[in-house]
Each structure stands twice: as C-alpha cells, then as structure tokens.
Amino acid sequence: MSNNIVLIGFMGSGKSSIGRELAKIKQSVLIDIDALIESNLGMCISDIFAYFGEEYFRKYERFLCSFIKNNIKNSIIATGGGTPAIYNVKELGIVVYLDTPFKKAISRIKYSNNRPKLKDNIKSLYESRLNIYKNSSNIVIESSDTVEGIARKIINILEK
Ligand code: S3P
C-alpha cells in the first residue's frame, strides 16, 4: 500500500490548497502534479498547451502518474482537474473527490490566465467530469468548509 492521499476534483475545487494543508497537518509532502509538470518542463501550463498542445501535456501528466505510482509513498498527491480522465488514479492511493458546485469553482478560477481549459465550453466539461470523479474516488467530500476544516474532515474519515 502506498498510503498516499490523492485529491481529485474540478479546477477551483481546492486540490492544491487542501493538499498543502493536509501535508502540513500530517507532516508529509505535497506532490502537486501541475506544479511538477511546470517545473520539469520549465514552462507554465498555458504555454505548454499553446506551444506543444494538450496531447503533449496529457502524455507528460500520464508519465508523472506512473512515476508517482512506482516511487511515491506516504504523501499527498494533488492531481490536475483532468488527471482522472486520463489515468486510473486509484492506482496512486486513497482517492478523495473534492465535490464543488460549478458556480463556486468558476468564481475561484475565472480570472486565471494559466488554465487553458477555461477556453473550452466549461459547463459541459464540468458535467462530463462529474461521473469520472465519482467513479474514480473512494471518498467524496463536499468542499463547503474552510481549507483547514476540509483537511481535518478528510483526516477524520481516513483515520476512523
Ligand atoms: C485541467 C486542469 C488544470 C491543469 C490543466 C488541465 C483540466 O488543473 O491540469 O490546465 O483538464 O481540468 P487544476 O484543476 O489544478 O486547475
């Protein structure tokens, strides 16, 4: 068992901030897939999409998932919003879906200039992802609390 906690959910569901909080509380390490892609390629996500295309991004995302599967234990994994659509995230650890209403997610990300998928039909992307997130998760958490509150809730459920 890897003992990793894997956070999934739509853009703006709080995966990275809740991941940071979980890592702090559990004195563990956050592995943030988007941040890893950016640091390894030396480019921000919107430039990767613009210069190399989404397929290249997805290929790299898949490569990092297999790296995590083979090498990472006892850590917190923050995925990208599209990761569960291209990889079986249950292979990475216990998967927690941060279930966030569409309007709330959008209100958090609407001014972001590093989320190329915002250019797509975002409502239909959200709807098409719902089943993927549900089917890919072991635990569903409604993310309607503070970052710390949600992190504590996740730990309580996992340590029950
Ligand atoms: C994506 C979500 C983004 C990032 C990329 C694609 C998606 O991650 O991986 O822009 O397809 O939903 P966040 O959910 O962290 O914004």
Side-chain angles (χ1 to χ4, degrees):
M1 251 314 254
S2 72
N3 273 331
N4 294 321
I5 301 176
V6 184
L7 300 175
I8 66 168
F10 200 65
M11 293 176 271
S13 60
K15 300 179 292 291
S16 299
S17 42
I18 293 163
R20 265 192 299 275
E21 188 64 25
L22 280 171
K24 192 169 106 192
I25 298 171
K26 289 185 71 71
Q27 296 186 308
S28 179
V29 167
L30 170 66
I31 308 282
D32 187 320
I33 292 181
D34 283 344
L36 259 185
I37 294 178
E38 290 189 320
S39 64
N40 274 267
L41 295 179
M43 292 169 90
C44 67
I45 288 174
S46 57
D47 282 349
I48 300 168
F49 269 65
Y51 293 111
F52 300 124
E54 178 167 352
E55 250 332 287
Y56 181 84
F57 175 86
R58 298 299 176 196
K59 218 167 136 187
Y60 207 85
E61 191 176 22
R62 234 178 266 121
F63 161 70
L64 285 182
C65 286
S66 7
F67 179 85
I68 291 168
K69 181 187 168 195
N70 294 327
N71 297 284
I72 304 294
K73 286 182 182 159
N74 305 318
S75 300
I76 314 298
I77 317 291
T79 61
T83 311
I86 56 113
Y87 191 88
N88 177 9
V89 285
K90 281 187 178 164
E91 289 185 356
L92 306 179
I94 293 282
V95 183
V96 180
Y97 167 30
L98 303 172
D99 188 5
T100 310
F102 179 70
K103 280 192 179 154
K104 194 167 180 180
I106 292 301
S107 72
R108 289 178 179 152
I109 59 173
K110 61 184 173 198
Y111 299 119
S112 167
N113 54 14
N114 196 27
R115 285 192 167 93
K117 296 298 277 181
L118 278 176
K119 293 182 194 129
D120 295 3
N121 182 336
I122 200 72
K123 180 89 193 190
S124 70
L125 182 68
Y126 179 89
E127 281 163 0
S128 71
R129 292 269 175 84
L130 287 178
N131 273 337
I132 298 176
Y133 295 143
K134 277 181 197 142
N135 294 334
S136 305
S137 58
N138 302 105
I139 295 164
V140 181
I141 297 275
E142 276 177 34
S143 63
S144 56
D145 198 344
T146 59
V147 166
E148 197 193 341
I150 295 166
R152 297 255 172 225
K153 214 183 272 175
I154 293 171
I155 290 172
N156 285 342
I157 294 175
L158 293 178
E159 288 179 358
K160 239 189 229 164

